[in-house]
Amino acid sequence: MSYTYKYPRPAVTADCVVITKEAEPKVLLIQRGGEPFKGCWAFPGGFMNMDETTEQCAIRELEEETGLQVSNVILIGAYSKVDRDPRGRTISVAYLAIVDSPLEVTGQDDAAKAEWWPLSALPQLAFDHEEIMQDAIAVFKKI
């Protein structure tokens, strides 16, 4: 069945913020391999498939971009600023995953690199990921 709507539809993405439970927590970031923000650091994430939830998308993108598998994620929030993605109108739903310590990761798919960064020494982040990071830390501290 095909439908036509008079309203434009935004793209939907999901991001996965992975933080360690160490005394000095670390966060997993990927270095973007393509535009926009090629070479910049960001959370693993990407566009949602039509047959998955945003939660499933976040878990899938994390594995595709870093090789890391998680089964449980916690909702951080939804991000919908009009200009948050230069490719067009995009809404992102961000999730938090918590691991005991840094696990082995490698940049895969469209991620040039994957690395663990101390929360106290983060690089400049792509998109609106600074805002997402602050919200993720707030959720992490409540757990």
Side-chain angles (χ1 to χ4, degrees):
M1 224 188 270
S2 175
Y3 295 96
T4 303
Y5 298 97
K6 67 179 182 175
Y7 302 104
R9 291 178 281 164
V12 178
T13 62
D15 295 309
C16 196
V17 182
V18 184
I19 300 178
T20 64
K21 288 196 292 188
E22 300 173 287
E24 290 190 36
K26 294 180 183 68
V27 65
L28 177 60
L29 299 175
I30 56 106
Q31 187 177 46
R32 292 184 51 81
E35 296 295 347
F37 300 103
K38 183 177 181 176
C40 293
W41 294 93
F43 301 120
F47 290 95
M48 184 177 73
N49 293 330
M50 293 302 284
D51 64 346
E52 66 186 353
T53 66
T54 55
E55 181 177 331
Q56 291 167 331
C57 176
I59 291 169
R60 174 184 54 79
E61 285 286 343
L62 174 64
E63 183 177 1
E64 285 179 3
E65 293 185 348
T66 70
L68 183 60
Q69 294 180 338
V70 298
S71 55
N72 296 316
V73 291
I74 302 159
L75 179 66
I76 298 168
Y79 299 84
S80 62
K81 288 182 184 171
V82 174
D83 61 350
R84 66 177 303 276
D85 189 327
R87 295 169 290 194
R89 187 72 173 102
T90 306
I91 297 168
S92 189
V93 182
Y95 291 89
L96 173 65
I98 300 171
V99 297
D100 290 332
S101 60
L103 301 165
E104 187 175 332
V105 292
T106 183
Q108 301 175 155
D109 194 31
D110 55 354
K113 292 181 185 177
E115 292 181 12
W116 294 95
W117 291 77
L119 289 183
S120 60
L122 295 176
Q124 184 174 355
L125 300 176
F127 302 101
D128 57 354
H129 289 193
E130 295 278 347
E131 178 183 350
I132 295 171
M133 183 77 257
Q134 294 309 309
D135 293 347
I137 291 169
V139 171
F140 177 75
K141 286 181 177 179
K142 290 180 184 177
I143 296 172

